[in-house]
């Protein structure tokens, strides 16, 4: 039995990487045994996987390490586990590694990308202990933001999201407090290493109830129209699983079926839990997902407001993914262009929402590739926050709500509309990657 510092039994044992490397710690890594080289290749893959990136990027990093170490690597990658074999001209060594849980950390992903690039240039001169020391430093790096800042990021993102969906100042104000407190609770519970679904359910419930309290308070104090309660859906949109949703589509496009299917199921399970909790709170408090009250703004004014709202929404989501401020601002600029274009296409042209989502995602993917070449940020760290704001969380919730109250036809209509948009978002990124990334568009 393995116990943690607080006396709880750990279901996943910590791997003592340095102890495993003690006998060869002072050897040059290129002269190490096949076993030690295999451990290093697997550890790089596992840290990459912990950042939330897709199987193709994890395999690329492992293959790069293997080439420098003069071994061959074949890997089968899932959502939280890697099974792989490294072999040379004589022997082979197989390992299976797993994570405690899935998460997203774009800052750590950037650090790992920089490490792999450094290893290509300097790996032949590093000792085994130096490699593990560098990986220890990256792996132990704490998040950039406290739970309070993560709550503020969710508040900014979701109140911007609500405006883009058609909400006004009242809905935005209530959403700000609801989403902020909800994500703060989720972050605190995640920090205590509670199961993901517990933090998610508690965060969504707190977000919806906080929105209800604030909206009812405004009704009583200032006689605000009760119809403003329709915006409570926006308070729970911080739960949208953008990274697993998008990376599942990219993995399936590259025939990484195991990773793609596991990520898709993971994303769907998050959406089901979040929408079910929101639905139960709505039933208990008589909230209904009605349409927003009209804002009374002209098309040009709405377009001008959509640009900063899209930037703030993407910036907030990017911070929630642990992006540094500069990276989050870059993603925000991409999202401001791509999402505003998408919404204007829906309003001003006969294009259906799904087709506009495809064009918006394609634009985000192309812009992210240009910024990637100029600034070195991983593409996925820029594209996913930029298109998370395009994920139809409102449609998904309405589908669950209407199915839950027995209105199957209405629920099915919202569900189909949501699925069409969800399918088109990764498709837009896939096309952008094929156009802009020579390595990615080949099957090898």
């Amino acid at each position: 039995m393995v116990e943690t510092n607080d006396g709880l039994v750990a279901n996943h044992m910590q791997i003592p990487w340095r102890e495993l490397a003690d006998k060869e710690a002072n050897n040059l890594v290129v002269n190490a045994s096949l076993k030690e080289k295999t451990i290093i290749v697997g550890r790089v893959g596992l840290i990459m996987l912990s950042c939330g990136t897709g199987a193709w990027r994890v395999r690329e990093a492992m293959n790069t390490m293997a080439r420098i170490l003069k071994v061959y690597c074949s890997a089968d990658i899932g959502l939280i586990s890697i099974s792989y074999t490294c072999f040379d001209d004589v022997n082979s060594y197989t390992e299976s590694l797993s994570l405690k849980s899935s998460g997203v950390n774009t800052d750590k992903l950037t650090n790992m990308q920089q490490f792999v690039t450094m290893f290509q240039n300097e790996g032949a001169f590093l000792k085994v202990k130096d490699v593990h020391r560098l990986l220890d430093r990256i792996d132990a790096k704490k998040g950039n933001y406290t739970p309070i800042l993560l709550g503020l990021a969710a508040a900014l993102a979701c109140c911007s999201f609500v405006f883009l969906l058609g909400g006004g100042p009242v809905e935005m104000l209530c959403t700000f407090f609801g989403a902020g407190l909800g994500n703060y609770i989720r972050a605190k519970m995640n920090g205590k290493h509670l199961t993901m679904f517990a933090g998610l359910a508690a965060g969504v419930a707190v977000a919806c109830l906080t929105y209800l309290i604030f909206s009812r308070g405004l009704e009583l104090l200032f006689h605000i129209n009760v119809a403003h309660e329709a915006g409570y859906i926006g308070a729970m949109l911080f739960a949208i699983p953008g990274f697993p949703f998008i990376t599942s589509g990219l993995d399936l496009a590259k025939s990484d079926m195991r990773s793609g299917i596991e990520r898709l199921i993971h994303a769907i399970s998050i959406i089901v839990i979040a929408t079910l909790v929101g639905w139960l709170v709505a039933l208990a408090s008589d909230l209904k997902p009605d349409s927003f009250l009209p804002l009374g703004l002209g098309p040009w004014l709405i377009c001008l407001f959509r640009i900063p709202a899209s930037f703030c929404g993407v910036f907030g989501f990017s911070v929630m993914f642990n992006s540094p401020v500069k990276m989050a601002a870059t993603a925000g600029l991409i999202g401001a262009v791509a999402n505003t274009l998408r919404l204007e296409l829906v309003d001003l042209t006969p294009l259906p929402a799904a087709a506009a989502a495809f064009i918006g995602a394609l634009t985000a993917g192309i812009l992210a590739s240009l910024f990637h070449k100029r600034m070195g940020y991983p593409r996925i760290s820029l594209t996913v926050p930029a298109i998370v704001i395009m994920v139809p969380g409102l449609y998904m919730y309405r589908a669950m709500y209407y199915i839950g109250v027995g209105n199957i036809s209405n629920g099915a209509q919202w569900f189909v509309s949501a699925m069409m948009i969800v399918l088109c978002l990764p498709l837009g990124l896939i096309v952008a990657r094929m156009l802009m990334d020579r390595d990615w568009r080949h099957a090898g």
Side-chain angles (χ1 to χ4, degrees), residues 31-80:
N31 296 329
S33 66
L34 176 61
K35 174 185 174 181
E36 183 56 44
K37 291 178 179 179
T38 303
I39 288 173
I40 289 172
V41 169
R43 190 178 183 194
V44 168
L46 196 66
I47 298 176
M48 291 285 291
L49 190 65
S50 72
C51 300
T53 192
W56 186 84
R57 185 63 67 191
V58 174
R59 185 178 291 107
E60 181 189 45
M62 294 175 72
N63 289 344
T64 299
M65 298 293 295
R67 279 192 291 269
I68 303 300
L69 297 173
K70 295 180 172 58
V71 297
Y72 303 95
C73 179
S74 178
D76 182 27
I77 301 165
L79 173 67
I80 60 170

Side-chain angles (χ1 to χ4, degrees), residues 109-343:
L109 178 60
T110 303
N111 293 153
M112 283 303 299
Q113 184 172 282
Q114 292 167 347
F115 169 83
V116 173
T117 301
M118 178 278 297
F119 196 83
Q120 287 181 282
N121 301 322
E122 305 174 22
F125 309 104
L126 295 175
K127 295 181 179 180
V128 170
K129 65 179 181 182
D130 295 329
V131 174
H132 282 293
R133 176 175 52 81
L134 292 171
L135 292 175
D136 284 341
R137 187 181 302 165
I138 296 172
D139 200 21
K141 189 175 181 181
K142 297 185 180 297
N144 296 324
Y145 307 102
T146 63
I148 291 177
L149 291 176
L150 292 173
L152 289 173
L156 177 65
C158 291
C159 75
S160 300
F161 210 149
V162 163
F163 172 79
L164 295 170
L165 292 172
V170 174
E171 290 89 349
M172 293 173 66
L173 178 64
C174 296
T175 296
F176 184 90
F177 289 104
L181 187 56
N183 199 47
Y184 170 78
I185 294 296
R186 183 175 71 160
K188 291 291 286 185
M189 294 182 72
N190 290 344
K192 300 292 184 183
H193 304 293
L194 296 174
T195 181
M196 178 191 69
F197 286 153
L200 176 68
V204 170
V206 168
C208 292
L209 290 172
T210 302
Y211 186 102
L212 176 66
I213 291 170
F214 271 87
S215 62
R216 293 282 167 86
L218 291 175
E219 290 168 22
L220 292 174
L221 294 174
F222 304 104
H223 306 290
I224 299 295
N225 193 327
V226 71
H228 288 297
E229 291 178 358
Y232 79 96
I233 300 169
M236 56 185 280
L237 292 179
F238 63 85
I240 291 175
F243 252 84
F245 240 141
I246 302 307
T247 52
S248 70
L250 296 174
D251 282 346
L252 291 172
K254 293 293 290 182
S255 298
D256 279 307
M257 294 300 172
R258 177 189 167 195
S259 178
I261 292 171
E262 288 182 11
R263 289 174 185 277
L264 181 61
I265 293 173
H266 176 65
I268 291 172
S269 65
I270 292 174
I271 289 172
V272 169
I273 294 297
T275 53
L276 275 175
V277 171
W279 172 65
L280 290 172
V281 173
L283 288 182
S285 53
D286 198 31
L287 291 171
K288 294 181 176 60
D290 298 324
S291 299
F292 293 102
L293 295 175
L295 295 176
L297 301 176
W300 284 107
L301 202 54
I302 289 179
C303 178
L304 289 175
F305 284 143
R306 279 172 173 168
I307 295 172
S310 296
F311 175 87
C312 291
V314 173
F315 181 88
F317 278 116
S318 192
V319 167
M320 289 165 61
F321 298 147
N322 200 45
S323 297
V325 171
K326 188 175 179 181
M327 185 192 297
T330 304
L333 291 174
I334 293 171
V337 174
N339 192 55
T340 302
L341 173 63
R342 175 186 71 94
L343 293 172

